[in-house]
Amino acid sequence: MTTRVGREKGVTVGRRAPTISHGLLPAATALTSLVGLCLLWHLAAGIWPNRAFPLPTEVWSVLVKEAASGDLAYHLAMTLSRVGAAYVVAMLAGSVIGVLLGMHRRVDSFFNPWLVLFLNLPALVVIVLAYIWFGLTEAAAISAVAINKIPNVVVTMREGARALDPRYAEMAKVYRLSLLDRIRHILMPQLQPYFAAASRSGIALIWKIVLVVELLGRSNGVGFQIYLHFQIFDVAAILAYSLAFVAIMLLIELLLVQPFERHATRWRRRPA
């Protein structure tokens, strides 16, 4: 009896539960890395004093000033609204087109040259043409960003549709599932990892293109502010707006995109 209890205790003791310090280690490492980068930046700017290479404290001062005036929040909100709208349009349109191409080989063969063309069409060309054809409007800006991202979503979702297990489709026919049930219980669970991958790469690409769209043809947003301060060579303000927006996109990546991707791929085996 004692031996068995001892073994049971040994098993219990052998499985060490994750501690709080173990969970905080990645965050502490990332924070230390960022502090080291700021120190390196401060030293380099001190050795080479120049208006084109401001100190981190100067950038922070501009950031605080813009935040206090409300300009920072306004322009960040305008850029994020464009990112969100373009993201929704690109993911919805790209997912539908990608699934259709993946499930119909002849349709895919016909439209594949179109897809290759749009994949290799420079984003700048799409943006300029959208502004020329439709004017300097909000719809033209969002459409230009979405058009640049849709082909990437189509490629990813097409591969997901090609990888669908036909046995589930046969089961749906046997049980006479409705179209809605097939999409909900058969199609979406299999496509979820591909949607997560397209979503993660999409958010990283879209916000970069949005800045170019704002720089070329909008009167607000982070891209417009970068262009405005570029005219007077205010590098501190350029870095302040850039870093503020990058920080927000990193928070979206860490708090929304990565958790969604982990949830979508939770069925995969993780290395021990």
Side-chain angles (χ1 to χ4, degrees):
M1 182 69 178
T2 303
T3 304
R4 185 174 65 183
V5 172
R7 289 176 180 174
E8 292 177 354
K9 289 183 178 180
V11 172
T12 305
V13 173
R15 294 179 180 176
R16 183 178 298 176
T19 60
I20 297 178
S21 60
H22 180 73
L24 294 177
L25 184 59
T29 303
L31 182 61
T32 304
S33 176
L34 291 176
V35 171
L37 178 61
C38 289
L39 290 175
L40 182 62
W41 176 8
H42 186 83
L43 290 174
I47 296 173
W48 184 49
N50 193 296
R51 185 185 177 188
F53 192 29
L55 291 167
T57 52
E58 297 177 15
V59 177
W60 177 255
S61 299
V62 174
L63 188 62
V64 172
K65 179 183 176 182
E66 294 293 317
S69 66
D71 291 340
L72 181 65
Y74 169 72
H75 291 290
L76 286 176
M78 294 303 300
T79 299
L80 285 174
S81 65
R82 295 183 181 113
V83 170
Y87 170 81
V88 171
V89 173
M91 292 303 298
L92 288 178
S95 297
V96 172
I97 296 173
V99 172
L100 290 177
L101 294 183
M103 298 179 69
H104 300 86
R105 188 175 298 275
R106 291 184 179 179
V107 178
D108 180 40
S109 299
F110 181 82
F111 286 105
N112 188 63
W114 297 25
L115 183 59
V116 174
L117 172 65
F118 280 100
L119 279 172
N120 292 280
L121 191 64
L124 184 61
V125 174
V126 176
I127 295 170
V128 171
L129 289 177
Y131 280 149
I132 292 175
W133 290 342
F134 307 110
L136 300 177
T137 63
E138 198 70 26
I142 294 173
S143 299
V145 179
I147 290 173
N148 278 291
K149 178 54 191 172
I150 286 175
N152 300 89
V153 181
V154 170
V155 170
T156 304
M157 298 305 294
R158 181 179 64 179
E159 295 303 315
R162 289 174 176 175
L164 292 175
D165 193 336
R167 294 176 298 178
Y168 293 113
E170 295 174 359
M171 181 188 68
K173 290 182 180 180
V174 171
Y175 287 96
R176 297 181 180 179
L177 296 181
S178 63
L179 178 61
L180 183 61
D181 288 334
R182 292 185 183 187
I183 295 175
R184 181 181 178 185
H185 300 292
I186 303 297
L187 189 63
M188 290 183 62
Q190 296 184 78
L191 292 178
Q192 190 179 20
Y194 296 91
F195 186 86
S199 176
R200 184 175 185 182
S201 62
I203 200 70
L205 177 64
I206 284 174
W207 75 263
K208 297 180 179 70
I209 301 177
V210 166
L211 295 187
V212 180
V213 167
E214 292 175 342
L215 187 146
L216 291 177
R218 306 310 302 147
S219 59
N220 49 42
V222 175
F224 171 75
Q225 286 298 104
I226 291 175
Y227 172 73
L228 189 66
H229 291 291
F230 167 73
Q231 299 298 312
I232 56 176
F233 297 98
D234 191 350
V235 180
I238 293 174
L239 290 176
Y241 273 94
S242 301
L243 294 177
F245 190 67
V246 168
I248 291 180
M249 297 311 298
L250 284 176
L251 287 176
I252 294 176
E253 169 76 15
L254 295 174
L255 300 179
L256 295 177
V257 179
Q258 288 188 9
F260 173 70
E261 187 179 28
R262 286 194 296 268
H263 176 75
T265 59
R266 63 191 184 279
W267 51 272
R268 293 178 179 174
R269 292 183 178 180
R270 298 288 196 276

